[in-house]
Each structure stands twice: as structure tokens, then as C-alpha cells.
Amino acid sequence: MIGMLQNLGAGALGIFERLGRGNLFLLNVLMGIPGLLLRFGLVVAQLYATGVLSLLIIGVAGLFVGMVLGLQGYNTLVTYGASESLGIFVALTLVRELGPVVSALLFAGRAGSALTAEIGLMKATEQLSAMEMMAVDPLHRVIAPRFLAGMIATPLLAALFSAVGVMGGYFVGVGLLGVDEGTFWSQMQDSVDLYDDVMNGVIKSVVFGFVVTWIAVFEGYDAVPTSEGVSRATTRTVVHGSLAVLGLDFVLTALMFGDN
Amino acid sequence: MIAEQLDNSVKPGVEGETLVKIRGLSYYRGSRAIFNGVDMDIVRGKITAIMGPSGTGKTTLLRLMGGQLKPSQGTVAVEGADVAKLKYTQLYALRKRMGMLFQNGALFTDINVFDNVAFPLREHTNLPDSMIRDLVLMKLEAVGLRGANQLMPSELSGGMARRVALARAIALDPMMIMYDEPFTGQDPISMGVLVRLLKTLNDALHLTSVLVSHDVKESLSIADYVYVISEGKVVEHGTPDTLRQSQSEWVQQFLEGLSDGPVPFHFPAADIETDLLKEGRS
């Protein structure tokens, strides 16, 4: 019994210690961001790696999710004779929820895992130590540009996901199922509010981008510098990042739309 | 020129004075003592070898000197300043004057040889590209790899990677350079090249070299002074000649590479008969 309590206590202490380390790490990274304004090229290079290289998966996933929404939405709405509301259904679902959430999940899997593996391997091969010994702080030179790039890329990818998704819904709803084109767009234009819907979706994706990129870069930096350690860290990035996105999505949704 | 860009206030030291003074150094990893009351002096302008079996904390000692680790007790002072007590900016200013060659080179794998060597120059100076190019090519020429400047690290052999890392380590004209097992895993030709390079660079650039290694012959051939460490303590120190004449059985076993001696061939275990009989019963 005492042994079990000891293990529980040690486990809890370990979690809090790691959380504390993660927060200190974040503080140091944030302190490196102002310096990047003078060297924005470092951020642009990372924007390419995390953002541009994620375009394909985000675009394809957005298209299919939008098509599924068009099909499922039509089948449900037509039962109530409300198929002309398909545009609102597709747009609100994407802008408020699926755009930020699914793009953040895909970002965690595609770019987050790559960030963790890259930083973890740099640690395992002593590249980060070498940088420190050259009087270059790796938190400012390696981590901060990746963190900032991740934060910039996620809302842009979410916007792209939603836009392509709406086109997917349009293709199925208007192109295949015969919903009136003018109704599809005009209802969407009337009902989707820039601040309540679009901006809230943007806020969500900024928060998700912040958290997922933080988890990814911290897991890489904190990885045990062995092949197994990097592998575990990469897995943790995807698992913790995805769970954090889903958990935060509920909290943010409750805060944004809970009183409607 | 580089020194002007880095810090005008740095004055050259006097050859022969103590550059790194280690006193009462203890370092624990968990409850295990890596060092327990170590004293050492690294003399400016000389090559000091720190030798000992694998796992005795030689690399840890370099990290303590570079301020990447903090001692549990005692001090590591470089030019009189306690490294563990330096502020962030002071520590980074000191590191600009220290080079370190890592065991595997630790080259940045996403950029080529030229950019690896140029990295510290671009980070710490505002020199124009044309001057950086000249400096990089001169550093690469010193290690014999000017012709390889456009290769990627993955295209280099182990020995070449270490020479490139050496060129990068001397890019800022440091006062001191630390070598972590530079000879490990090298073929005889690469080994000979590295040994000669270390000695030549130390003398030509008036460096202070700290060489951590367990390659006895190569280290003793170029070192001016040697410390042998084992189980967290300095077990012997002196010039290579003094060491060769040491009466310590342990030192002789280490220098001669004998399989049995004070460091036993067998890992501590129960009596073999007891073990075998137990095995039979189960």
C-alpha cells in the first residue's frame, strides 16, 4: 500500500516537474522571439518546413472533409426540407470546429512530429551542445524560429482547410446533389458572422498552434538523446498534442459559444 | 580582426600561467559521484591530456569547464572567473573564446561544410560575406579540407568530419580548445593527421588545448602534461615521461593496456562453482 502511494507521489512529482520545466522552456523561447524580427529569414525557412510542406495534406484532408459534410449535411437537412441551408451547415461546421481542430491534429501529426524528431536528433548528435559551446543559444537560434513559424502556420493552414472544405461541400451539394448555387452562397454569406464565427475559429487555431508547437519543440528538446528516446518523444508529441487540441477545443467552445 | 569584432577588452594571456584552475571539484549524477575532490591546473599555451578509462567522466569534465554543467562542490575557474557563477551573458562571452571538438564532430547536418565553418562567424561578427569566405577557406586550408567546402556532412568520412569540426572550432580564433575523444574510431592515417593537426594548431595559433582521450600512445606523443583520472579522482599526473615511469600498478595497466591487474578482468561476481551449481539445481 505504502509502495503504491510512493509510486503515485513520485509519478505526480514527475509530472509537475516536467510541467515546470516546460514552462521555463517556453519563457526562454519567448524571450528569443524579439531577436527574430531582425533575422526573419530563420522564421521563413521554418515556415516553409512546417507550413508549406503541410499544404498537401491539409488541402486534401480539407477537400474530403468538406465533401463528407456536404453529403451528410444534405442527407440530414433534406429530411426536414432544409437542404437550402447546406451552405450554412458546411461553413459553420468548418469555420467554427473542423477547420481549426482537424488542421491542428494534422499539423501535430505532420509538422509537430517532424519538429520533435529533428530537434531530438540534433540533441542526440550533440548539435545543440555544439551550438551552446559556440556561444549561440539553441533556444533562440533553433527553437524560437520553429515555435514562431508553427504559430504563424497553424491559423493559415486552418483557413486553407476551411476554404477548401467549403469548396468540397459546394462540389457535392451544388454539383452532385442539385442544391441551388445562389442559395448555397447567399445563405452562407448571411449567416456566417465575421467576429462570432470566423474570428473565434481563428482564435482557436492560434491557441492550438501555440500549444501543439510548444509541445513539439519541448518534447524534442527534452528528449532522451537516444534513438528510442527520440522515438518516444515523437509519439508523445502526436498523442499529447492531439489530446491537448481536443481538450482545449471543448474549453474554448464553451467560452465562445456556451451562452448562446 | 575577429577578436576586434568580438571584444576589444580581451587581453592576451601570458604563456605558462594557469588558464583553468579546478579545485575540490565534485560532481554527482544522482547519488553516484562522477568526481570527488578533483584538483587540476590547465596551463596556457600547453596541451594537457586528461586520460582515463571509458565512463570515468572525462567528457563531463569538459562540460563543467564549458559551463554546460555545474559542479556539486568545488570550483572550475577560467582566467580566474568561476564558470558556474558567471551570468548568462558572461558565460556566452567566455564561450566565444573557447572552442570544443565533439566526439562525433557534431556538424550541422542540414548545411554544407562551408556553412558549418562560417556559422560562428556569421553569428558573432558583422564581417562582409567576402571576408567570411576568405576566413572559412583559410580555416579549411589549415585542416586540409578547403577542397571539400561544398560537401554535405553526410558525404564526409569520420576523420574528415572531425577536421571540419576542428576548423569550425577555431573559426573565432579561441584562446582555448577542448577535444573530446578526437582519435576514437579513426583509421591509422586519419589518426596520424589528427594528432599532427592538434599539435600544429596548438603551436601555430598559441592555443591552450585540453585533450580528453583514452588513446594512450597518441595522447602521450603530443601532450605537455597529463592527468589520469579514475573513479572520480586524479590517480596520477605529470609529464608523459613521468607517467611512463610511474610506480602505480593501475597507471601501468592503463598505459600498457593490460587485461588484468588492479582493474580486474572479471566483473565482480559470486564464486563460479556456486553459480554453476545453482544453475544445475534450478
Side-chain angles (χ1 to χ4, degrees), chain B residues 189-209:
Chain B
I189 298 173
S190 298
M191 183 98 91
V193 168
L194 280 168
V195 170
R196 192 172 53 81
L197 258 179
L198 260 63
K199 180 70 178 163
T200 311
L201 288 175
N202 192 75
D203 295 345
L205 304 177
H206 304 291
L207 291 166
T208 303
S209 300

Side-chain angles (χ1 to χ4, degrees), chain A residues 60-78:
Chain A
V60 172
L63 184 70
F64 282 120
V65 167
M67 286 166 71
V68 168
L69 279 176
L71 196 57
Q72 292 279 23
Y74 180 83
N75 285 339
T76 309
L77 293 171
V78 81

Side-chain angles (χ1 to χ4, degrees), chain B residues 1 23 82 117 254:
Chain B
M1 181 198 310
R23 290 292 177 268
D82 185 347
V117 181
F254 180 75

Side-chain angles (χ1 to χ4, degrees), chain B residues 34-56:
Chain B
I34 308 294
F35 296 114
N36 193 3
V38 167
D39 293 338
M40 260 184 211
D41 286 322
I42 308 292
V43 177
R44 197 188 285 272
K46 304 289 182 192
I47 298 178
T48 304
I50 298 169
M51 306 181 70
S54 301
T56 47

Side-chain angles (χ1 to χ4, degrees), chain B residues 34-35 40 49-65 100 179-181 210-215 227-230 254:
Chain B
I34 308 294
F35 296 114
M40 260 184 211
I50 298 169
M51 306 181 70
S54 301
T56 47
K58 301 187 294 295
T59 304
T60 304
L61 189 61
L62 293 186
R63 291 186 185 277
L64 285 159
M65 285 185 203
M100 183 157 171
Y179 300 93
D180 186 7
E181 301 283 7
V210 183
L211 166 63
V212 152
S213 177
H214 50 218
D215 292 289
Y227 286 91
V228 182
I229 54 174
S230 174
F254 180 75

Side-chain angles (χ1 to χ4, degrees), chain A residues 28 31 39 42 46 118 121-142 146 221, chain B residues 59 63 66 68 88 92-93 95-96 98-100 102-110 119-120 122-124 168 172 178 180:
Chain A
N28 281 319
M31 281 163 63
R39 307 178 69 186
L42 293 174
Q46 293 310 316
E118 184 190 15
L121 282 171
M122 285 182 84
K123 185 180 181 185
T125 53
E126 294 186 308
Q127 292 178 49
L128 299 182
S129 284
M131 212 173 264
E132 269 184 12
M133 287 308 298
M134 281 185 268
V136 177
D137 192 336
L139 287 177
H140 297 176
R141 179 63 172 71
V142 174
R146 283 162 175 76
Y221 196 76
Chain B
T59 304
R63 291 186 185 277
Q68 288 187 306
Y88 177 88
Y92 273 69
R95 283 179 183 163
K96 284 180 196 168
M98 294 170 126
M100 183 157 171
F102 285 81
Q103 195 168 343
N104 62 4
L107 295 176
F108 304 129
T109 47
D110 56 336
F119 183 86
R122 288 179 176 145
E123 289 292 320
H124 295 304
R168 187 177 68 178
L172 293 175
M178 299 182 278
D180 186 7

